[in-house]
């Protein structure tokens, strides 16, 4: 491990308590609430990778209260105030009207204090309590009904000292039905249930990417890279967990390399210009210095705007995991320019 990596990891341990929680089971008392107090922004997310074409993936990205972080902000949706503004993306490989839209929190949302009900108008309902949840989405062109059972396998991405920002992900199993273009498809597999809460502070992030790969029917791998000004690494981590193993966090010799960008930059509704990745590689070593995973990905040209202030999509991949060949369809979030 290089001196640069040592310095990065030391800094991360100093400002975030997430690494110390690796491998520990989910505590049902973990915070899971709508905006309150100084936590003015909350995110609920469900991500389903590795679906058959043309769906490729499904995500539910709900953001309540607009953050001050530019990459996550959708200021063009604000009618009254940032706190009264919410957004919802139902991302997938097929396009339909209303995939991404804004809401007024006080007018359109119903939020139980314990998040046992999160309702966005007549469009989305997330109901239940750990470990069982139901997700219902209604759109004239796209309906979704999911039953989600969470495990106790949790990955803590960020847990800033003082409670300024928390973000975690649970490994889940799901089954359900999706209806689009007159067709109904039964789906099932591994997914994530994610939650974040943050204070109204400005963090100078310039790039963010997040990937989810289901290695098989029991094992899931997550990858995160966050950059700050001048390309300074804020976080570079890979998380592995399975139905039978709490897994671990890996950072040694992390690499994310974009090999080809889309031909033209995309212009977001907020006026930002983003050149999205079309082909890329990423890898990391295990704690003993042996390659843990190496992935070669090519996107499916299905990026959709609304992953906060950026894009979500899918990609075809080949590679190796713990020395064995792997392939499939991964999930990607991408905001900013790498």
């Amino acid at each position: 491990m290089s001196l640069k990596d040592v310095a990065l990891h030391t800094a991360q341990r100093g400002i975030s308590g997430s690494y110390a929680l690796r491998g520990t089971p989910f505590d049902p008392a973990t915070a899971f609430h709508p905006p309150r107090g100084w936590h003015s922004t909350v995110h609920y997310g469900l991500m389903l990778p590795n679906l058959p074409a043309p769906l490729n993936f499904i995500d539910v990205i709900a953001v309540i209260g607009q953050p001050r972080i530019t990459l996550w902000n959708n200021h063009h949706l604000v009618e009254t105030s940032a706190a009264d503004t919410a957004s919802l993306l139902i991302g997938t490989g097929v396009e339909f009207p209303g995939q991404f839209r804004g809401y007024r929190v006080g007018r359109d949302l119903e939020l139980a204090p314990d998040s046992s009900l999160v309702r966005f108008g007549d469009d989305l309902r997330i109901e239940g309590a750990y470990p069982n949840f139901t997700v219902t989405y209604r759109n004239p062109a796209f309906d979704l009904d999911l039953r989600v059972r969470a495990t106790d396998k949790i990955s803590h991405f960020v847990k800033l000292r003082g409670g300024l920002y928390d973000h975690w992900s649970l490994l889940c199993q799901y089954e359900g039905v999706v209806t689009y273009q007159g067709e109904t498809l039964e789906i099932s597999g591994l997914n994530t249930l994610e939650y974040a809460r943050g204070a109204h502070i400005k963090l100078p992030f310039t790039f963010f990417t997040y990937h989810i790969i289901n290695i098989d029917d029991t094992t899931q791998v997550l990858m995160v890279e966050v950059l700050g000004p001048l390309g300074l690494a804020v976080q570079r981590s890979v998380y592995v967990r399975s139905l039978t193993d709490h897994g671990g966090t890996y950072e040694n010799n992390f690499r994310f390399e974009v090999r080809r960008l889309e031909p033209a930059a995309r212009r977001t509704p907020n006026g930002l210009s983003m050149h999205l990745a079309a082909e890329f590689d990423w890898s990391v070593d295990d704690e003993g210095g042996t390659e843990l995973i190496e992935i070669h990905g090519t996107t499916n040209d299905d990026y959709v705007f609304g992953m906060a202030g950026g894009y979500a999509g899918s990609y075809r991949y080949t590679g190796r995991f713990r020395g064995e060949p792997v392939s499939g369809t991964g999930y990607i979030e991408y905001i900013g320019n790498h």
Side-chain angles (χ1 to χ4, degrees), residues 14 29 84-85 148 212 266 309 313:
D84 190 42
T85 304
V148 177
I212 304 173
R266 302 200 186 200

Side-chain angles (χ1 to χ4, degrees), residues 301-313:
D301 195 28
D302 56 8
Y303 280 119
V304 57
F305 179 82
M307 203 315 288
Y311 294 83

